[in-house]
């Protein structure tokens, strides 16, 4: 049972530099610092904060970073952004600044989706995922005003997204897997939490690191964050509705990315399958490479017979070389 499902706002350009240059702060951003660090609801601080909030709304359009399915994001400064739900009444908001309880997710190093504070329902302050504006989301960014034709999506995925993400260092995926593992350990009121792996745009490349945005979702499922979720984000889907292309031209890059994801998941012992649709993800990603059921069975077996992590990782590396590289040569 999923309680919260909000899609991430996305930018309209592959690389987008906002109007601010360098590391800049604004009065609004510094006021947020003071409010959050003081952890106080002093009337004077609230008055200052709300006045700056009103001023920002008056010029927010020129600072828009992107539009999502249910919210828009605007740059406050290099430290913060404002996320406004499309159902929010920004013209006459009931301002009630409040601190967000982020302690549950304090061990998540790659997560930037948690609210720093909120003004009223649908209006939140988040950490800025990229201070200089240079970022690249996984998959194909959603274009609301002019949807991208399928042929252009495929070309973009093959020539812009896949070369970049398949060449990232192993540690980039290790960090994401570590956050998946840490989030699996978080529970509250009988609920667990999971990242939204339906929309690839929730995973943003900044430099050589991947950062996760959007809200986490409450679920009654235990250990909901698994390897299949990573495969879905980076290899199965181009966007929320379109599966990624698989052909001989991109096979080498897909295989390189596949190995990194599986090794990262193995390093932190993420669940291989957490729900029924995960089996379909494994099958789609591997169907032109090897038998997904056979590989899954072997990975499960290795976790039993090789309890030592160093030994197991070496065995898994060899397994992936044997299974994936061997099948890759059959096509030539």
């Amino acid at each position: 049972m999923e309680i919260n499902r909000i899609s991430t706002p996305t930018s309209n350009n592959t690389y987008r530099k906002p109007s601010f240059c360098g590391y800049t702060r604004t009065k609004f951003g510094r006021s947020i610092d003071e409010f959050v660090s003081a952890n106080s609801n002093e009337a004077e601080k609230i008055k200052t904060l709300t006045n700056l909030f009103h001023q920002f709304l008056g010029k927010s359009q020129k600072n828009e970073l992107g539009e999502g399915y249910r919210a828009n994001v605007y740059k406050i400064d290099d430290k913060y952004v404002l996320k406004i739900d499309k159902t929010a009444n920004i013209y006459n908001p009931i301002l009630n600044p409040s601190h967000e309880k982020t302690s549950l997710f304090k061990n998540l190093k790659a997560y930037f989706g948690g609210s720093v504070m909120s003004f009223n329902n649908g209006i939140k302050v988040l950490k800025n995922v990229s201070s200089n504006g240079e970022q690249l989301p996984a998959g194909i960014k959603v274009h609301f005003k002019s949807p991208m034709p399928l042929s252009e999506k495929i070309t973009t995925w093959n020539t812009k997204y896949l070369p970049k993400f398949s060449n990232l260092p192993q540690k980039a995926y290790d960090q994401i897997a570590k956050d998946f593992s840490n989030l699996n350990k978080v529970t509250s009121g009988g609920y667990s939490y999971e990242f939204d792996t339906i929309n690839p745009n929730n995973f943003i490349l900044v430099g050589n690191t991947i950062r996760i945005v959007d809200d986490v979702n409450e679920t009654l499922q235990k250990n909901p964050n698994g390897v299949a979720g990573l495969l879905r984000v980076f290899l199965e889907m181009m966007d929320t509705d379109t599966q990624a292309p698989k052909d001989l031209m991109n096979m080498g890059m897909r295989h390189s990315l596949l190995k990194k994801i599986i090794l990262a998941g193995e390093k932190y012992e993420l669940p291989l399958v957490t729900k029924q649709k995960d089996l379909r993800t494994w099958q789609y990603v591997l169907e032109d490479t090897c038998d997904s059921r056979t590989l899954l069975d072997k990975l499960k077996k290795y976790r039993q017979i090789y309890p030592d992590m160093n030994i197991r990782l070496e065995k898994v590396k060899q397994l992936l070389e044997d299974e994936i590289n061997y099948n890759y040569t059959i096509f030539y």
Side-chain angles (χ1 to χ4, degrees), residues 228 231-232 235-236 243 246 254 258 272-273 276-296:
L231 294 177
R232 187 156 41 248
L235 282 170
E236 183 187 14
Q243 286 185 308
K246 296 182 296 184
R254 285 191 289 116
L258 173 63
L272 298 169
V273 174
Q276 186 61 35
K277 70 177 181 180
D278 289 351
L279 292 173
R280 295 193 295 271
T281 294
W282 278 95
Q283 182 179 3
Y284 183 80
V285 170
L286 291 169
E287 65 183 355
D288 64 343
T289 301
C290 63
D291 189 299
S292 60
R293 291 170 298 180
T294 299
L295 182 60
L296 280 171

Side-chain angles (χ1 to χ4, degrees), residues 158 162 245-258 288-289 324 327-329 331-332:
N158 279 331
L162 193 55
K246 296 182 296 184
D247 53 47
L248 293 178
M249 297 299 293
N250 67 24
M251 184 177 288
M253 291 184 290
R254 285 191 289 116
H255 286 174
S256 176
L257 183 49
L258 173 63
D288 64 343
T289 301
I324 295 175
N327 284 278
Y328 182 41
T329 61
F331 289 93
Y332 291 90

Side-chain angles (χ1 to χ4, degrees), residues 4-8 180 194-200 202-203 212-217 225 233 240:
N4 186 19
R5 179 66 67 186
I6 301 178
S7 297
T8 304
F180 270 44
E194 66 178 333
F195 292 118
D196 181 358
T197 58
I198 293 177
N199 183 4
N202 289 335
F203 294 74
I212 308 171
V213 298
D214 205 4
D215 301 314
V216 295
N217 307 302
N225 303 283
V233 167
T240 57

Side-chain angles (χ1 to χ4, degrees), residues 132-280:
N132 65 6
E134 293 187 356
Q135 59 190 55
L136 180 68
I140 301 298
K141 283 193 269 189
V142 177
H143 295 255
F144 290 90
K145 296 178 181 178
S146 55
M148 185 181 292
L150 177 59
S151 59
E152 187 177 346
K153 284 185 181 181
I154 292 174
T155 299
T156 302
W157 199 84
N158 279 331
T159 62
K160 296 184 182 298
Y161 160 72
L162 193 55
K164 189 70 174 179
F165 277 75
S166 64
N167 282 301
L168 289 177
Q170 179 66 49
K171 64 181 180 181
Y173 295 97
D174 291 347
Q175 182 59 64
I176 295 298
K178 185 176 182 179
D179 265 22
F180 270 44
S181 176
N182 284 336
L183 189 57
N184 280 340
K185 299 170 186 175
V186 177
T187 58
S188 178
Y191 289 101
S192 298
Y193 296 89
E194 66 178 333
F195 292 118
D196 181 358
T197 58
I198 293 177
N199 183 4
N201 289 180
N202 289 335
F203 294 74
I204 307 290
L205 179 63
V206 179
N208 278 332
T209 63
I210 301 171
R211 297 174 177 177
I212 308 171
V213 298
D214 205 4
D215 301 314
V216 295
N217 307 302
E218 291 183 340
T219 176
L220 293 173
Q221 181 183 339
K222 303 300 181 182
N223 299 314
N225 303 283
V227 179
L230 294 174
L231 294 177
R232 187 156 41 248
V233 167
F234 296 111
L235 282 170
E236 183 187 14
M237 305 300 296
M238 287 195 291
D239 54 31
T240 57
D241 302 312
T242 316
Q243 286 185 308
K246 296 182 296 184
D247 53 47
L248 293 178
M249 297 299 293
N250 67 24
M251 184 177 288
M253 291 184 290
R254 285 191 289 116
H255 286 174
S256 176
L257 183 49
L258 173 63
K259 294 175 191 176
K260 291 174 183 177
I261 291 172
I262 293 177
L263 283 173
E266 198 60 39
K267 184 173 293 185
Y268 292 97
E269 297 187 311
L270 295 181
L272 298 169
V273 174
T274 62
K275 50 183 73 73
Q276 186 61 35
K277 70 177 181 180
D278 289 351
L279 292 173
R280 295 193 295 271

Side-chain angles (χ1 to χ4, degrees), residues 7-32:
S7 297
T8 304
T10 59
S11 169
N12 290 329
N13 299 305
T14 301
Y15 281 93
R16 172 73 178 269
K17 283 195 174 184
S19 57
F20 299 92
C21 296
Y23 191 83
T24 62
R25 300 307 310 280
T26 61
K27 288 183 179 179
F28 187 22
R30 289 193 293 270
S31 180
I32 292 169

